[in-house]
Amino acid sequence: MATNRLKEILDSKKMSFSELKKLLEEKDVKVNNSQLSLYSSGKRNPKNKKIWVIISEVLNVELQEIITDINAYLTIMAEISENSSEKNAQTEKEKINDSLYQELLSLVDESMPSELEKVQRYCGLAATFEKLGEDIIEEGAVVIVPSGDSVVKKTNPAIAEQVRVNAALIKLDEWFELKRQSNNGDNPKSGEDWSEFT
């Protein structure tokens, strides 16, 4: 980490690390005096770069006044922006998952635990399917596995697992489709055996 002006700014404000620590605690940031000392000397960098922004806020100075190295400043801002984007994506994902849950819930008889369980199972499988897809994108379709003194290329096992999860989703989809038809007045054939979906 490039050197910063934290100690200099604290000195100019006649503040100690202990006083800064208290201000940060009010913002739910847990650090100790030795960590702040290491940050100020440039010997250590906070894992969460947003701490620098919070430090600048509690000291009532611009972040650029503390982090004077432009590359270090840009790195901090890029990480904060990336974390914010991930959080927004996560929030959006939660909204989609909640919408799916609400849609499926509207199809079932909420007084029947077996039907509620299918909603929970479907949403759990859908989340697993999505996570496996993310892992496949991140690791690739082929992974390298150590084997003795050499390495072997193998198909990513997440692909087979995703196929298995997808088959379970398709099966549950059929059940929910029958519920949709039933709710729309298109009753499934009387006497139809639904046991295969339970």
Side-chain angles (χ1 to χ4, degrees):
M1 173 70 189
T3 55
N4 58 74
R5 295 183 60 241
L6 178 57
K7 185 74 172 79
E8 188 183 327
I9 291 168
L10 286 173
D11 290 344
S12 72
K13 292 179 175 284
K14 296 181 174 31
M15 283 180 69
S16 66
F17 288 131
S18 295
E19 290 169 311
L20 175 58
K21 175 178 168 282
K22 284 178 187 169
L23 290 173
L24 291 171
E25 283 172 351
E26 290 172 13
K27 298 274 187 180
D28 293 324
V29 174
K30 304 286 184 234
V31 287
N32 57 44
N33 292 354
S34 62
Q35 284 174 304
L36 290 172
S37 175
L38 289 167
Y39 297 162
S40 72
S41 66
K43 290 178 183 172
R44 186 180 290 176
N45 200 18
K47 286 180 185 172
N48 182 355
K49 304 295 188 297
K50 192 174 181 187
I51 287 177
W52 285 116
V53 176
I54 298 168
I55 288 172
S56 71
E57 286 172 5
V58 300
L59 292 177
N60 201 26
V61 297
E62 293 294 323
L63 180 60
Q64 298 95 311
E65 291 180 55
I66 300 173
I67 309 296
T68 53
D69 180 278
I70 185 65
N71 291 325
Y73 173 80
L74 291 174
T75 300
I76 290 167
M77 296 312 290
E79 185 173 314
I80 291 168
S81 173
E82 190 176 301
N83 289 344
S84 177
S85 298
E86 283 175 13
K87 195 174 281 184
N88 289 341
Q90 189 62 33
T91 304
E92 199 56 40
K93 194 183 289 183
E94 284 168 5
K95 284 182 191 169
I96 291 166
N97 290 343
D98 189 52
S99 297
L100 173 64
Y101 180 79
Q102 294 303 327
E103 178 196 342
L104 296 179
L105 201 59
S106 71
L107 298 173
V108 302
D109 180 350
E110 292 182 48
S111 67
M112 294 186 65
S114 62
E115 295 200 0
L116 287 174
E117 188 272 336
K118 284 183 181 62
V119 172
Q120 298 285 355
R121 191 176 353 148
Y122 190 98
C123 290
L125 285 167
T128 301
F129 184 86
E130 192 174 296
K131 177 70 175 78
L132 287 166
E134 288 170 2
D135 290 346
I136 292 164
I137 290 168
E138 187 179 320
E139 296 170 10
V142 175
V143 292
I144 296 171
V145 181
S147 177
D149 295 335
S150 61
V151 291
V152 179
K153 288 185 176 181
K154 290 189 173 182
T155 304
N156 190 330
I159 295 172
E161 186 61 18
Q162 195 181 43
V163 168
R164 191 189 67 75
V165 170
N166 190 48
L169 281 169
I170 289 169
K171 200 71 176 166
L172 276 170
D173 267 332
E174 292 172 12
W175 186 84
F176 281 112
E177 186 52 39
L178 288 171
K179 292 295 282 183
R180 280 187 190 91
Q181 291 172 14
S182 174
N183 290 349
N184 289 334
D186 302 333
N187 288 327
K189 291 173 238 152
S190 60
E192 184 162 359
D193 181 14
W194 289 38
S195 62
E196 65 178 301
F197 301 111
T198 58

